[in-house]
Amino acid sequence: MDDMVEMTKNMENAGEVKPRSVRVVLMALMIAMLLAMLDNMIIGTAMPTIVGELGGLEHLSWVVTAYTLATAASTPIWGKVGDMYGRKGSFLTSIVIFLIGSALSGMAQDMGQLIGFRAIQGLGAGGLMVGVMAIIGDLIPPRERGKYQGMMAGVMALAMIGGPLVGGTITDHMGWRWSFYINLPLGAVALAMVSAVLHLPKKKAQGKIDYLGAALLTLAITSTVLVTTWGGTEYAWGSGEIIGLIVVGVLAIAAFLYVETKAAEPVMPLHIFRSRNFTLMSVIGFLVGFAMFGGVLYLPLFQQAVQGASATNSGLLLLPMLLSMMVVSLIAGRVTTSTGKYKVFPIAGGALMVVGLFLLATMDTGTTRLVSGLYMAVLGAGLGFLMQITMLVAQNSVDMKDMGVASSSATLFRTLGGSFGVALMGSLFTSQVTDTMTDRLGPAAAAKAGSAQLDAASLAKLPAAIRDAYQHAVAAGTHSAFLLGAAIAVLGFLAAWFVKEVPLRGAGPAPAGAGEGGKPAQAPQESLAH
């Protein structure tokens, strides 16, 4: 309780602030964060039932793609709107849009409607994570923020573990529409709590929203996500469609960079990248997304296809990685709060991420669940050192007036890293599986067996020779995918060595309030009042 009182002393115009008020706001923010992370986890297990009722199997991927595109494209815009017009209003608006999209998705009558409503839901989701991070950045000084890293890591673990289990239970007992409706009571609680307790002054924008910059950034992000989503699956990497999207993306990025140098209120101010730490954290965040999303996708696949685990408990298969991530994140946060030192954590996290991915790449058909669990724990420890530290250092590297765009940019780079990770690791995985199956069974038999699903139930029905070939193929595919991940993670480890240990704002009387390079950081422009 004393910690809550102490952290509010660093806020300008805070007045009388009760510790309970801060705790309630943090609880509401964690619920909103859970909403953003839980959604895709729950929907994934409901998708077979949804397709069975609505049809449109050929458009199945767009149910996820529409949500992902809308989330990624709107993330930077939400951050800038919060900086210009006030954090509370933009955050509440994003919750309302997310809940409207959730309600409409639950009422969808065909696949086309569901895809459109998922896009609306994604627009709101883009503001949820950004709002959470930016408001925490405003309310809690970076030095104190480490105390709450374990809480945020715990929410992430809860979403990844509980999402598939909750999704399967809801779908089986209440119907797939409740996979969307479940967001409504949670969102209503967050909405009420934030509205009642978080009192932030409205801001008067000094300029107009950079609509042209926002449009160009949206085009660039859309092209990038579509390339990573469609490349190697819907279209060949060398196809005209993929090449065209790459050209559009490059041109959009070039035009965006030019426009941002001229705009009065750029949607992503380029001056934030002058900070070495911010740029490095953006790079490391991209690589963390690459490794984490690739791991979350291919670890359950390996354990189901090779180790015979049940798909129903797929969330529990990630428990060693997620628990390790949560515990290490909590320890790193506590140490950062007590010492003010943090450079060692990106370095240690980068090293453990490389080692963990390399160990996972050594798994084969003889690897036991205990051994794979230990390997996952190593990767989880690396991610635990990196997940929240990257956001904390990124926010500490900018002035308070840019807190929103800093939070949204860091979130965006991590999201794009996940898209690239899933796409590149997926392409390599698919290619390796196909080659191994062909080598072991021949082209005709491999093509016939390729229609089977890679899960324990389907594999048990296959002839022994085909089942053995499948298991070796999946092991070879995961080996290639994680080896690529380890090679990419080396870049993050190298980047961490160049991080400059700038004193965290709120770190005490010495250089407290110093920005990067010894420049005084601006005081928060918003405060919590009860």
Side-chain angles (χ1 to χ4, degrees), residues 304-364:
Q304 289 174 39
V306 179
Q307 297 180 328
S310 168
T312 305
N313 298 321
S314 57
L316 296 176
L317 301 177
L318 298 173
L319 197 57
M321 183 178 82
L322 297 172
L323 283 179
S324 174
M325 182 176 69
M326 183 169 61
V327 171
V328 169
S329 180
L330 179 62
I331 294 172
R334 289 289 178 177
V335 172
T336 301
T337 297
S338 61
T339 67
K341 305 294 184 182
Y342 55 82
K343 181 174 178 176
V344 65
F345 298 130
I347 295 173
L352 286 171
M353 192 163 71
V354 172
V355 172
L357 288 167
F358 179 77
L359 289 173
L360 290 171
T362 65
M363 295 189 303
D364 55 28

Side-chain angles (χ1 to χ4, degrees), residues 43 46 53 60 79 94 96 103 115 133 170 198 226 240 253 257 278 281 290 314 324 355 370 377 391 397 445 520:
I43 301 308
E53 181 173 327
L60 175 63
S94 69
V96 170
I115 291 169
M133 296 302 176
I170 289 175
L198 184 65
L226 287 179
I253 291 172
L257 294 176
F278 183 83
M281 288 304 115
F290 193 106
S314 57
S324 174
V355 172
L370 175 61
M391 180 64 74
S397 303

Side-chain angles (χ1 to χ4, degrees), residues 131-313:
V132 169
M133 296 302 176
I135 291 173
I136 289 177
D138 277 348
L139 297 183
I140 306 174
R143 175 74 176 259
E144 300 297 316
R145 212 173 300 155
K147 298 175 183 178
Y148 308 100
Q149 287 185 24
M151 183 190 301
M152 289 183 273
V155 169
M156 180 177 296
L158 179 63
M160 290 183 175
I161 296 172
L165 298 176
V166 172
T169 302
I170 289 175
T171 302
D172 289 342
H173 296 92
M174 301 173 67
W176 66 266
R177 297 183 185 276
W178 279 96
S179 297
F180 296 103
Y181 293 151
I182 193 66
N183 293 327
L184 302 181
L186 287 174
V189 169
L191 203 60
M193 293 169 70
V194 172
S195 299
V197 183
L198 184 65
H199 301 292
L200 301 175
K202 292 184 179 180
K203 294 181 179 179
K204 290 186 178 180
Q206 300 299 313
K208 296 181 179 179
I209 293 178
D210 177 20
Y211 291 106
L212 179 57
L216 289 170
L217 182 59
T218 299
L219 180 60
I221 293 172
T222 300
S223 301
T224 301
V225 173
L226 287 179
V227 165
T228 57
T229 303
W230 285 347
T233 53
E234 295 286 328
Y235 305 101
W237 285 105
S239 66
E241 289 83 358
I242 297 300
I243 298 299
L245 284 170
I246 292 174
V247 171
V248 169
V250 170
L251 292 176
I253 291 172
F256 169 74
L257 294 176
Y258 175 77
V259 167
E260 295 306 274
T261 62
K262 307 295 182 183
E265 284 289 343
V267 69
M268 185 183 289
L270 300 183
H271 67 78
I272 62 177
F273 293 98
R274 294 174 189 163
S275 163
R276 181 171 75 184
N277 275 5
F278 183 83
T279 302
L280 288 171
M281 288 304 115
S282 298
V283 171
I284 294 172
F286 179 92
L287 299 173
V288 167
F290 193 106
M292 185 180 72
F293 286 100
V296 167
L297 180 63
Y298 291 105
L299 281 171
L301 183 61
F302 175 86
Q303 292 194 307
Q304 289 174 39
V306 179
Q307 297 180 328
S310 168
T312 305
N313 298 321

Side-chain angles (χ1 to χ4, degrees), residues 53-194:
E53 181 173 327
L54 298 183
L57 179 62
E58 67 276 12
H59 303 303
L60 175 63
S61 63
W62 272 103
V63 176
V64 175
T65 302
Y67 180 89
T68 305
L69 270 177
T71 300
S74 63
T75 292
I77 299 171
W78 282 114
K80 186 62 180 179
V81 168
D83 284 341
M84 292 180 66
Y85 297 104
R87 213 78 70 203
K88 180 178 179 179
S90 64
F91 185 55
L92 292 177
T93 302
S94 69
I95 295 177
V96 170
I97 293 175
F98 181 83
L99 295 181
I100 290 173
S102 298
L104 291 174
S105 296
M107 294 185 286
Q109 299 301 309
D110 57 50
M111 192 62 77
Q113 288 183 11
L114 181 59
I115 291 169
F117 296 149
R118 283 281 285 167
I120 295 174
Q121 196 182 19
L123 287 175
L128 292 182
M129 286 296 291
V130 173
V132 169
M133 296 302 176
I135 291 173
I136 289 177
D138 277 348
L139 297 183
I140 306 174
R143 175 74 176 259
E144 300 297 316
R145 212 173 300 155
K147 298 175 183 178
Y148 308 100
Q149 287 185 24
M151 183 190 301
M152 289 183 273
V155 169
M156 180 177 296
L158 179 63
M160 290 183 175
I161 296 172
L165 298 176
V166 172
T169 302
I170 289 175
T171 302
D172 289 342
H173 296 92
M174 301 173 67
W176 66 266
R177 297 183 185 276
W178 279 96
S179 297
F180 296 103
Y181 293 151
I182 193 66
N183 293 327
L184 302 181
L186 287 174
V189 169
L191 203 60
M193 293 169 70
V194 172

Side-chain angles (χ1 to χ4, degrees), residues 497-512:
W497 285 95
F498 294 94
V499 172
K500 182 181 179 182
E501 192 141 48
V502 178
L504 297 174
R505 285 193 289 264

